[in-house]
Amino acid sequence: MSKPNILFLMPDQLRHDFLSCYGATFIDTPNIDRLAREGTLYRNAYSTSPVCVTARHNLLTGLNSIRAGVLNNGQFIRPDYEACGIGTWPALLSQNGYHTAGIGKMHFYPWDAMMGYDERVVCEDKRWLHIEDDYAKFLAEKGLRKLHGNEHEGYYENKGAIVHQHPFDCSWDYFVGDAAAHFIRKHDQDKPFAAMVGFPGPHCPYDPSPEYADRFDPAAMPAAIPEVEGEHPQIRRENINGNKRPWNGVDHSDFTDAHKAKIRAHYCGLIAQIDHLVGEILQALEDTGQLDNTVIFFASDHGDYLGDHNLIGKGHFFEASCHVPLIARVPGQPGGRERDELVALADINPSMIQTAGCAVPDYCDFQPLPGIGLAESAPREYLYGMMAGGWMAFDGRHKLCKYASGEHMLFDLEKDPTEIDSRISDDCENRERLDAALTREIMRSVLAARHDQLVYGTDLSGDRDFGQPGWQRTYPQPL
């Protein structure tokens, strides 16, 4: 396949361990499992910036969060990023013969920015109710509108676990899946396409459509990992206060096992909806004869605590938040394979670029996924996590997490996979080793992030032009 189609499917806030291909026994996800059965499943894939906008920026640009300057959901890449030499993956592929499409949630500022895509069908975040996107127009044509979770019975009492008033064929995820299938069916096969499909679910509110709401029994859900008393009180307080804000409005101060079980059952309903839509997208590829010429990536921007450690949502480096599913299906390659290397979510960026036959920019902080026929880099020794409130260094077994709250943790995942026994005080060797590696990477990234302030890359002392009045430095310096 000299120029295969490229399709990137990305649900929002999907845990890896809530998919049957990753071992979940309480839910069946046959269409996502099919991707794993026909492709390569990565056991140790991590979102190094596990919150929506930061993770999506890593994917969009190939830069880590410090270098991109996007460390939380309130930040976005500078408007003159192109003048700085930064190319988004859709722009790079569009310049090299691909028709690029962004379908669904992208979380751009402004929300209708193109960011290099040739076309977009916009269905933004389930919490951004006032965005007049394509989904809002779709609902308006049916006499409907976007609804806040608090407009549903039991929203506050059930901590956001509700049954949405709209039927499945009017849901956020249905709109996105149907738009993706339509895009595939109408695609002019004279040139290849590269499309990202961003499902808004299973992000909260945990609001499956009526057709899916009762498919999962709360009593059958796996129990949440308990909170270790006194381990992370500030993280817990910030988690409670953040979710009280108007976007959510739910108070998790009283967060019972029954609450967590109900949320998990509703979350499974949302996953089942998305799995069905993945099947519809695969069917569209088969019906149009494009499946055997389409490379498919499947991953999520981050996970969801769902009550683990007495938390909800995401934003830290616990497994439930940063360990994500990642599957690559490459036609012509053997399926059913699993890889154990440490990989990052944003490794999909250079993987798509290289799959398209383009050169990966030399500034890229990520590397092509191993085992799918791309030019491979040496296996990573560490993964580094970077967000506004915390840093991580992880070697695949030992994970060091340092938070702005002053709460530092060190976990040995081989002995303690549920992360309830921090060894920060009694494993000095691994703490110091990981801290030294993390410090080096943070320093490198901070320096590289100041490229726009660079005056020269070589010595100016012998430059005659520099010695003349009126000399002006090149600004901004390209990456």
Side-chain angles (χ1 to χ4, degrees), residues 203-224:
H203 192 291
C204 69
Y206 308 102
D207 59 346
S209 302
E211 299 92 326
Y212 285 82
D214 297 324
R215 294 195 179 189
F216 298 91
D217 181 1
M221 295 295 104

Side-chain angles (χ1 to χ4, degrees), residues 28 162 248 252 427:
D28 185 27
I162 55 173
N248 191 354
H252 288 87
D427 187 354

Side-chain angles (χ1 to χ4, degrees), residues 295-359:
V295 175
I296 302 173
F297 298 96
F298 178 94
S300 185
D301 53 349
H302 48 74
D304 191 321
Y305 292 118
L306 304 177
D308 281 351
H309 310 288
N310 215 20
L311 302 171
I312 196 71
K314 69 282 183 180
H316 307 93
F317 297 108
F318 288 109
E319 289 286 287
S321 174
C322 68
H323 193 164
V324 296
L326 202 163
I327 302 167
R329 181 191 184 277
V330 180
Q333 294 192 359
R337 296 179 299 168
E338 297 184 359
R339 304 285 297 213
D340 292 325
E341 297 97 327
L342 275 178
V343 299
L345 167 68
D347 288 347
I348 291 175
N349 172 287
S351 298
M352 290 192 292
I353 292 172
Q354 198 175 101
T355 295
C358 304

Side-chain angles (χ1 to χ4, degrees), residues 66-102:
I66 289 177
R67 294 187 65 198
V70 181
L71 292 156
N72 60 34
N73 278 350
Q75 297 177 321
F76 201 67
I77 196 169
R78 51 189 293 171
D80 63 343
Y81 68 91
E82 291 176 301
C84 295
I86 300 172
T88 65
W89 74 259
L92 292 173
L93 268 61
S94 180
Q95 293 161 13
N96 284 275
Y98 274 78
H99 179 73
T100 57

Side-chain angles (χ1 to χ4, degrees), residues 7 21 38 80 93 128 140 155 169 190 192 221 235 255 265 267 270 277 287 325 340 352 354 390 404 428 460:
L7 181 63
C21 56
E38 298 177 358
D80 63 343
L93 268 61
W128 297 85
Y155 178 72
D169 63 4
D190 287 344
M221 295 295 104
I235 287 175
F255 200 14
Y267 184 78
L270 289 167
L277 294 163
D287 291 347
D340 292 325
M352 290 192 292
Q354 198 175 101
C428 296
L460 285 176

Side-chain angles (χ1 to χ4, degrees), residues 61 85 87 92 349-350 353 359-365:
T61 66
L92 292 173
N349 172 287
I353 292 172
V360 177
D362 57 9
Y363 57 74
C364 186
D365 287 313

Side-chain angles (χ1 to χ4, degrees), residues 149-469:
N150 62 18
E151 298 179 74
H152 297 75
E153 181 180 356
Y155 178 72
Y156 295 113
E157 299 91 321
N158 296 315
K159 309 301 182 185
I162 55 173
V163 179
H164 204 285
Q165 297 175 34
H166 296 342
F168 177 50
D169 63 4
C170 293
S171 68
W172 277 273
D173 291 325
Y174 180 91
F175 175 82
V176 172
D178 187 62
H182 178 72
F183 168 81
I184 290 166
R185 293 183 186 279
K186 73 176 180 61
H187 172 64
D188 180 356
Q189 297 187 36
D190 287 344
K191 64 189 305 187
F193 72 76
M196 178 174 173
V197 180
F199 292 102
H203 192 291
C204 69
Y206 308 102
D207 59 346
S209 302
E211 299 92 326
Y212 285 82
D214 297 324
R215 294 195 179 189
F216 298 91
D217 181 1
M221 295 295 104
I225 296 169
E227 177 183 14
V228 176
E229 188 68 29
E231 182 65 60
H232 52 265
Q234 184 61 26
I235 287 175
R236 168 79 169 129
R237 281 194 294 271
E238 291 173 355
N239 188 253
I240 291 170
N241 292 336
N243 281 281
K244 284 182 180 179
R245 294 172 184 162
W247 68 271
N248 191 354
V250 174
D251 186 352
H252 288 87
S253 300
D254 176 31
F255 200 14
T256 67
D257 290 343
H259 290 142
K260 296 169 187 176
K262 188 173 183 65
I263 284 171
R264 287 171 173 235
H266 282 238
Y267 184 78
C268 285
L270 289 167
I271 294 170
Q273 292 181 181
I274 291 170
D275 183 76
H276 170 80
L277 294 163
V278 169
E280 294 295 303
I281 291 169
L282 292 175
Q283 190 64 54
L285 287 169
E286 287 187 305
D287 291 347
T288 56
Q290 298 180 87
L291 183 61
D292 290 337
N293 191 44
T294 301
V295 175
I296 302 173
F297 298 96
F298 178 94
S300 185
D301 53 349
H302 48 74
D304 191 321
Y305 292 118
L306 304 177
D308 281 351
H309 310 288
N310 215 20
L311 302 171
I312 196 71
K314 69 282 183 180
H316 307 93
F317 297 108
F318 288 109
E319 289 286 287
S321 174
C322 68
H323 193 164
V324 296
L326 202 163
I327 302 167
R329 181 191 184 277
V330 180
Q333 294 192 359
R337 296 179 299 168
E338 297 184 359
R339 304 285 297 213
D340 292 325
E341 297 97 327
L342 275 178
V343 299
L345 167 68
D347 288 347
I348 291 175
N349 172 287
S351 298
M352 290 192 292
I353 292 172
Q354 198 175 101
T355 295
C358 304
V360 177
D362 57 9
Y363 57 74
C364 186
D365 287 313
F366 300 93
Q367 59 192 53
L369 292 165
I372 57 172
L374 304 177
E376 296 188 16
S377 303
R380 284 187 175 87
E381 186 175 3
Y382 301 104
L383 274 178
Y384 300 103
M386 303 170 185
M387 292 191 300
W391 298 339
M392 174 194 75
F394 181 41
D395 65 6
R397 174 176 175 178
H398 300 95
K399 184 194 295 182
L400 174 67
C401 309
K402 303 178 73 172
Y403 297 105
S405 63
E407 294 159 318
H408 297 178
M409 304 168 199
L410 174 65
F411 298 109
D412 181 343
L413 293 188
E414 184 176 295
K415 296 180 179 179
D416 177 30
T418 58
E419 299 173 302
I420 60 173
D421 183 20
S422 175
R423 313 300 295 178
I424 194 71
S425 299
D426 56 10
D427 187 354
C428 296
E429 180 180 351
N430 283 308
R431 183 189 68 215
E432 291 177 2
R433 173 178 61 85
L434 289 164
D435 195 42
L438 178 61
T439 299
R440 287 193 297 270
E441 178 61 15
I442 295 297
M443 287 182 172
R444 181 197 74 84
S445 298
V446 168
L447 179 61
R450 309 319 307 167
H451 71 276
D452 57 316
Q453 294 174 322
L454 184 68
V455 175
Y456 63 86
T458 57
D459 186 4
L460 285 176
S461 64
D463 189 319
R464 292 186 177 277
D465 290 337
F466 174 66
Q468 299 302 308

